[in-house]
Structures are given as C-alpha cells and as structure tokens.
Amino acid sequence: QVQLVESGGGLVQAGGSLRLSCAASGRTFSVVTMGWFRQAPGKEREFVAAIRRSSGSTDYSDSVKGRFTISRDNAKNTVYLQMNNLKPEDTAVYYCAASFTPPWSATMIRSTYDYWGQGTQVTVSS
C-alpha cells in the first residue's frame, strides 16, 4: 500500500505560479513512476506529467509542456509540480498517482497507476 497526500493548491491569477507537492508513504520502495493528473468539472481526468523514480525521466502533456515542471526528491518520497504561467483552463482538481508497473509502461494512461491521492484544487482566475 502507498498513501499519497497532495498539497499546494489554491487560487491564483492568470500568469501566476503554484507548486504542488505529493508526499508518499508506505511501500514507497516499490514505486516506479509518479504522475500528476487533473480533472476539471464535467471533464475526464487527464494526464499532466509523470516522472520515473529511478532515472528521473519525464513526460508531459502537450497542454502544459514548457509551463509545468515535474521533479522528485527520493529522500523525502515527495514529487513536485511547478506550474508557471497558469491559465484559466488549468483550473481543476490535481491528483497525484503512483505506479508499480515497469518503467516502460505508458505514463499517460490512468490504468498504469495503482494508487491515487485525494486531490488538491487549483483555481486560476482571468
């Protein structure tokens, strides 16, 4: 079992920045990939970014590439999502996820992930 707790969400104006954190506990040594997803009202949960715990290699959705940066601190079992130049369309609940599946698994697919956090709200005003 892995427990994930997100923090850092809030209200920000367009063009502003936020940094989300995801603290993992439990069976963290088995985690291969950590990801961030988001879900806006009335929409499907969508992939944002992912990072492989060992290599540090990353994936991003096209909508956030160049604006968001995912990073990890393995010593603290924490993953971060630095979000810059935020836009109103970034408004959503952001979820952290952990995967035990091999590192070549598709990081953009929800079914790759075994554990999910409760989410943190990000609201970007225009």
Side-chain angles (χ1 to χ4, degrees):
Q1 289 275 358
V2 173
Q3 294 77 41
L4 302 171
V5 178
E6 303 99 333
S7 62
L11 173 64
V12 64
Q13 288 188 329
S17 299
L18 281 174
R19 189 175 83 153
L20 305 184
S21 299
C22 173
S25 61
R27 200 178 147 195
T28 57
F29 56 88
S30 295
V31 173
V32 175
T33 302
M34 297 288 292
W36 286 97
F37 285 72
R38 66 186 182 187
Q39 188 167 16
K43 293 189 175 182
E44 296 276 326
R45 191 172 298 189
E46 65 174 5
F47 171 77
V48 175
I51 187 166
R52 290 164 185 82
R53 191 169 181 270
S54 179
S55 68
S57 63
T58 57
D59 294 315
Y60 294 94
S61 69
D62 288 342
S63 61
V64 308
K65 200 172 294 183
R67 299 188 298 123
F68 290 11
T69 303
I70 189 171
S71 61
R72 89 260 194 247
D73 184 335
N74 289 342
K76 295 182 178 180
N77 291 315
T78 301
V79 172
Y80 306 96
L81 186 68
Q82 177 66 43
M83 306 185 294
N84 297 329
N85 191 22
L86 282 160
K87 303 176 181 180
E89 51 263 43
D90 294 318
T91 295
V93 177
Y94 283 70
Y95 296 91
C96 176
S99 171
F100 288 174
T101 58
W104 54 84
S105 300
T107 59
M108 299 182 181
I109 300 175
R110 284 185 293 173
S111 60
T112 292
Y113 297 88
D114 304 284
Y115 297 96
W116 294 83
Q118 293 299 307
T120 185
Q121 176 71 46
V122 171
T123 303
V124 185
S125 63
S126 56

